[in-house]
C-alpha cells in the first residue's frame, strides 16, 4: 500500500509510521510527505529518504486554491491512502471528494468528544478524567468521520496540555500504525468501515 502523509508540525506520528514502514514485513510504505508550511516534521521524511513537498497555506489567496494545489501534488503520487497526521488545516470539500474514502486522520481525543484543533486543551479545560486517541475516516465535517480505531487515555491531576498530549501521542501512533496495516492487508475496507 502506498501512503502519502500530510503534516503541519513536529511529525512524531509521521516518524512512527516511517519507522514501522522501514520493516520489510510491514505492508505499507510512505511514498511522499506533504506539509502546509515548512514543518519541522519534513526532516523525518528527509531522514528516511522519502520525497516531500510543501504547499504553504499563506501563499494562496483562498483555501480552495491552496487545496487545488495540494490535490495536484497528491494526484501526482497516486497514493493508495492519505494520512492526515497533525495537519492543522481543513481540506476543502472537493479535495476530500477526490480522495475519499482513502483519507484518514489521527486525533488526540476520544471522538466524538473534543473534536477540532484543540482536542487536548479542550479535554483539560472540561476537567475530563479520561480522554483518548482516535483514527477516523475524513469526511466533509470536522473530525466527524466514521471511527476506525480509538482508545482511552487517562488524564492525571496536574496534567498540562503538553504532558497530556505526550501521553496521548504514543497511543495515537500505535493506533495509526495498526489501522494502516489493516487497510494494507484488506482487513479494513475504508469503503465499508463499519
Ligand atoms: C497529533 O496529536 C495529531 O493528532 C494532532 O496534532 C498532533 C501532531 O503531532 N492533530 P505530530 O506533528 O505528529 O507530532
Amino acid at each position: 500500500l502506498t501512503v502519502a502523509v500530510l503534516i503541519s508540525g513536529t511529525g512524531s506520528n509521521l516518524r512512527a509510521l516511517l519507522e514501522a514502514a522501514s520493516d520489510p514485513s510491514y505492508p505499507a510504505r510512505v511514498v511522499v510527505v506533504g506539509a502546509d508550511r515548512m514543518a519541522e516534521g519534513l526532516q523525518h521524511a528527509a531522514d528516511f529518504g522519502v520525497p516531500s513537498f510543501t504547499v504553504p497555506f499563506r501563499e494562496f489567496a483562498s483555501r480552495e486554491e491552496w487545496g487545488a494545489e495540494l490535490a495536484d501534488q497528491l494526484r501526482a503520487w497516486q497514493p493508495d491512502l492519505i494520512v492526515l497526521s497533525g495537519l492543522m488545516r481543513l481540506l476543502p470539500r472537493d479535495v476530500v471528494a477526490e480522495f475519499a474514502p482513502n483519507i484518514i486522520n489521527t486525533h488526540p481525543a476520544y471522538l466524538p468528544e473534543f473534536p477540532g484543533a484543540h482536542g487536548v486543551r479542550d479535554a483539560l479545560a472540561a476537567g475530563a478524567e479520561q480522554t483518548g486517541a482516535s483514527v477516523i475516516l475524513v469526511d466533509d465535517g470536522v473530525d466527524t468521520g466514521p471511527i476506525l480505531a480509538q482508545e482511552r487515555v487517562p488524564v492525571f491531576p496536574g496534567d498540562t496540555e503538553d504532558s497530556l498530549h505526550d501521553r496521548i501521542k504514543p497511543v495515537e501512533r500505535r493506533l495509526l500504525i495498526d489501522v494502516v496495516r489493516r487497510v494494507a492487508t484488506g482487513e479494513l475496507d475504508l469503503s465499508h468501515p463499519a
Side-chain angles (χ1 to χ4, degrees):
L1 186 83
T2 57
V3 180
V5 183
L6 299 183
I7 63 170
S8 296
T10 54
S12 65
N13 283 298
L14 162 65
R15 179 160 196 105
L17 197 50
L18 287 166
E19 286 168 355
S22 61
D23 177 338
S25 70
Y26 190 71
R29 55 193 177 84
V30 179
V31 293
V32 68
V33 175
D36 66 330
R37 51 189 282 277
M38 284 309 293
E40 225 181 297
L42 289 168
Q43 185 56 48
H44 298 314
D47 293 347
F48 281 79
V50 172
S52 62
F53 62 82
T54 58
V55 183
F57 190 81
R58 55 175 168 66
E59 289 179 11
F60 292 81
S62 70
R63 174 184 301 278
E64 284 64 33
E65 285 165 280
W66 170 77
E69 176 60 28
L70 181 66
D72 288 351
Q73 294 278 350
L74 285 169
R75 200 177 305 114
W77 293 91
Q78 292 290 326
D80 298 318
L81 179 66
I82 296 169
V83 173
L84 310 186
S85 186
L87 181 73
M88 300 309 279
R89 299 275 177 209
L90 291 182
L91 296 178
R93 183 180 300 274
D94 49 5
V95 176
V96 175
E98 175 173 351
F99 296 100
N102 300 308
I103 317 181
I104 65 175
N105 181 29
T106 62
H107 184 74
Y110 200 81
L111 292 171
E113 298 166 3
F114 310 120
H118 306 292
V120 180
R121 185 194 312 173
D122 294 345
L124 277 179
E129 293 188 355
Q130 55 176 6
T131 182
S134 306
V135 180
I136 62 168
L137 214 51
V138 173
D139 66 6
D140 280 339
V142 179
D143 299 322
T144 53
I147 294 169
L148 304 175
Q150 63 182 172
E151 188 172 306
R152 281 290 184 189
V153 174
V155 181
F156 295 144
D159 259 334
T160 62
E161 187 175 345
D162 284 349
S163 65
L164 179 51
H165 209 163
D166 287 346
R167 190 175 310 119
I168 293 168
K169 279 187 176 180
V171 176
E172 208 175 333
R173 287 173 211 147
R174 178 163 41 78
L175 293 180
L176 175 62
I177 288 164
D178 189 51
V179 164
V180 170
R181 182 204 321 277
R182 288 194 284 130
V183 173
T185 61
E187 185 188 331
L188 178 55
D189 176 358
L190 295 180
S191 304
H192 302 90

